[in-house]
Amino acid sequence: MSILALNGLRIDYATAIGTVSAVDRGTFVVPRSEIVGLVGESGCGKTTLARAITGVMARNAHVIDGEIIFDGRDLVAATPAERRDVLWRQIAFVPQSAMNALDPVYRVSTQIREVLIDRGRYRRANVPARIDALFRMVGLDPGRQHDYPHQFSGGMRQRVSIALALALNPKLLIADEPVTALDVIVQRQVLDTLRDLQKRLAISILLVTHDISVVAYVCNRVVVMYAGQVVEQGPVAEVLEQPFHPYTMGLTNAFPDLARARDQLVPIPGSPPDLRNPPPGCRFAPRCPFAIDRCRAEDPQLIDVGNGHQASCWRSDAVVEMRSKAKEAATWSPSSL
Ligand SMILES: Nc1ncnc2c1ncn2[C@@H]1O[C@H](COP(=O)(O)OP(=O)(O)O)[C@@H](O)[C@H]1O
Ligand code: SF4
Ligand SMILES: [Mg+2]
């Protein structure tokens, strides 16, 4: 059984100018002891999904439908008290900016101690040893634990946030864009630490990122989102080398380190739809070089394509031809749409 399975999750935001359908098909699994990447362009609903799993959502966010099965029980149906009990002790969250996880006016040791005592009911006498161990675990010198957040570099602050999240031995760690603000060398170091922690602690990690090269570097599985919907998921090598969805094909062209060098990147033309009024049919159709009439009328569902790999595209019978054309820059020129 997977540690986490989302089935048909739908999440809306109520706003003064209409309902934003931020997540419309949140369907994916996080197997135990794996690192799963949740990837997609900015605004596609990644943070909304991640926060729904933690239960800490914006006030105007509403789960409309679907299930969040964590370790065998549905968190959507859980009481607020049950949700609070799961957060930190079983599911820990590293929010999008490390500064969001840390209070600038308190020493880091004070913040970790609060979590250990208030949430984890640690005895005071055991706290210093635990903080030392957490600092070492994430590659930080325990001698720095009494510093304030601003005294750390960006990469070190991210490590502090990870240490804080791991304080109570969670089963699932959700990290939202943990390396986005860091330079490439520090990114690799933090990702290496996450991979090492996953192995040593046998935890599961959901790594949220807009950067598919981060997924390729560190994840076992990938979930690709487009405009609020999961459009493809499966083992990383399988999905990146043999994608079934044209959006995934486009994404792999648009990032360095994968198929191309930085100067050969091919962007996907156009921009994602307004989630207050998404297009009918396949949401990617307005930007898809392979769209046919059916795509603009009917919404394709996620279907199994083998080896634990799923995708939602009407044209999966033409996948070999689409993969080959997707490698040509001309296919993605705005004039081809
Ligand atoms: N509190 C909110 N109220 C209204 N709309 C929101 C709110 N938070 C996010 N959104 C909208 O929901 C969509 C998904 O946002 P988000 O989950 O932050 O995406 P991502 O993390 O992939 O960038 C976007 O269109 C965003 O503008
Ligand atoms: S369903 Fe159609 S528009 Fe959507 S990704 Fe597949 S080919 Fe493109
Ligand atoms: Mg986000």
Side-chain angles (χ1 to χ4, degrees), residues 245-247 282 284-285 288 290-292 295 300 312-315 322:
H245 198 285
Y247 178 61
C282 173
F284 190 53
C288 181
F290 309 113
I292 53 175
C295 306
S312 62
C313 174
W314 290 125
R315 303 208 52 202
M322 291 197 297

Side-chain angles (χ1 to χ4, degrees), residues 203-279:
I203 53 174
S204 314
I205 300 179
L206 179 64
L207 196 157
V208 177
T209 176
H210 66 283
D211 185 343
I212 203 158
S213 45
V214 165
V215 171
Y217 185 66
V218 79
C219 296
N220 308 104
R221 278 179 74 83
V222 58
V223 177
V224 182
M225 276 188 89
Y226 182 75
Q229 297 181 321
V230 171
V231 296
E232 182 153 18
Q233 65 167 320
V236 163
E238 175 89 21
V239 172
L240 299 187
E241 281 158 32
Q242 311 218 296
F244 272 74
H245 198 285
Y247 178 61
T248 315
M249 296 174 199
L251 269 188
T252 57
N253 284 334
F255 279 92
D257 285 9
L258 287 173
R260 300 158 190 271
R262 201 169 273 276
D263 58 351
Q264 295 176 317
L265 303 185
V266 182
I268 302 173
S271 46
D274 180 351
L275 293 178
R276 276 172 302 166
N277 188 20

Side-chain angles (χ1 to χ4, degrees), residues 22-310:
V23 175
D24 176 72
R25 184 173 58 218
T27 297
F28 66 86
V29 294
V30 178
R32 284 176 200 274
S33 304
E34 290 199 10
I35 307 184
V36 175
L38 179 60
V39 70
E41 283 161 297
S42 176
C44 73
K46 304 180 299 293
T47 296
T48 304
L49 254 187
R51 287 196 168 271
I53 300 164
T54 67
V56 182
M57 302 174 75
R59 276 164 181 262
N60 60 335
H62 303 284
V63 174
I64 305 296
D65 201 5
E67 297 175 322
I68 302 173
I69 310 290
F70 173 74
D71 212 9
R73 65 178 169 147
D74 184 9
L75 295 181
V76 173
T79 64
E82 286 168 338
R83 297 287 322 235
R84 274 195 299 278
D85 195 52
V86 168
L87 189 63
W88 289 95
R89 276 194 270 181
Q90 300 197 52
I91 299 178
F93 185 53
V94 180
Q96 197 151 338
S97 153
M99 274 321 243
N100 289 340
L102 303 169
D103 191 327
V105 301
Y106 291 105
R107 296 176 194 279
V108 162
S109 52
T110 308
Q111 300 185 45
I112 303 183
R113 182 172 7 141
E114 255 177 40
V115 170
L116 291 171
I117 294 174
D118 296 351
R119 305 245 181 190
R121 300 183 198 111
Y122 263 66
R123 293 173 50 189
R124 281 177 193 278
N126 297 336
V127 166
R130 179 64 180 156
I131 298 180
D132 282 4
L134 286 165
F135 260 60
R136 284 200 193 90
M137 208 185 270
V138 297
L140 287 174
D141 171 8
R144 299 285 308 269
Q145 63 183 268
H146 301 302
D147 287 1
Y148 289 92
H150 73 266
Q151 292 175 279
F152 293 93
S153 68
M156 288 162 95
R157 259 198 312 265
Q158 199 54 262
R159 288 172 189 273
V160 172
S161 313
I162 295 168
L164 185 67
L166 293 176
L168 303 182
N169 279 321
K171 293 177 184 166
L172 174 67
L173 176 72
I174 303 176
D176 194 356
E177 306 273 8
V179 296
T180 298
L182 309 175
D183 69 59
V184 174
I185 294 170
V186 181
Q187 278 195 1
R188 296 243 156 169
Q189 292 167 349
V190 172
L191 292 173
D192 288 343
T193 300
L194 278 177
R195 183 163 41 199
D196 175 55
L197 287 168
Q198 187 288 314
K199 287 210 181 84
R200 270 200 290 158
L201 306 175
I203 53 174
S204 314
I205 300 179
L206 179 64
L207 196 157
V208 177
T209 176
H210 66 283
D211 185 343
I212 203 158
S213 45
V214 165
V215 171
Y217 185 66
V218 79
C219 296
N220 308 104
R221 278 179 74 83
V222 58
V223 177
V224 182
M225 276 188 89
Y226 182 75
Q229 297 181 321
V230 171
V231 296
E232 182 153 18
Q233 65 167 320
V236 163
E238 175 89 21
V239 172
L240 299 187
E241 281 158 32
Q242 311 218 296
F244 272 74
H245 198 285
Y247 178 61
T248 315
M249 296 174 199
L251 269 188
T252 57
N253 284 334
F255 279 92
D257 285 9
L258 287 173
R260 300 158 190 271
R262 201 169 273 276
D263 58 351
Q264 295 176 317
L265 303 185
V266 182
I268 302 173
S271 46
D274 180 351
L275 293 178
R276 276 172 302 166
N277 188 20
C282 173
R283 291 184 175 187
F284 190 53
R287 302 171 76 187
C288 181
F290 309 113
I292 53 175
D293 287 347
R294 184 181 192 186
C295 306
R296 288 179 261 272
E298 294 173 55
D299 186 13
Q301 299 302 301
L302 273 180
I303 54 163
D304 286 328
V305 294
N307 303 327
H309 183 172
Q310 293 182 315

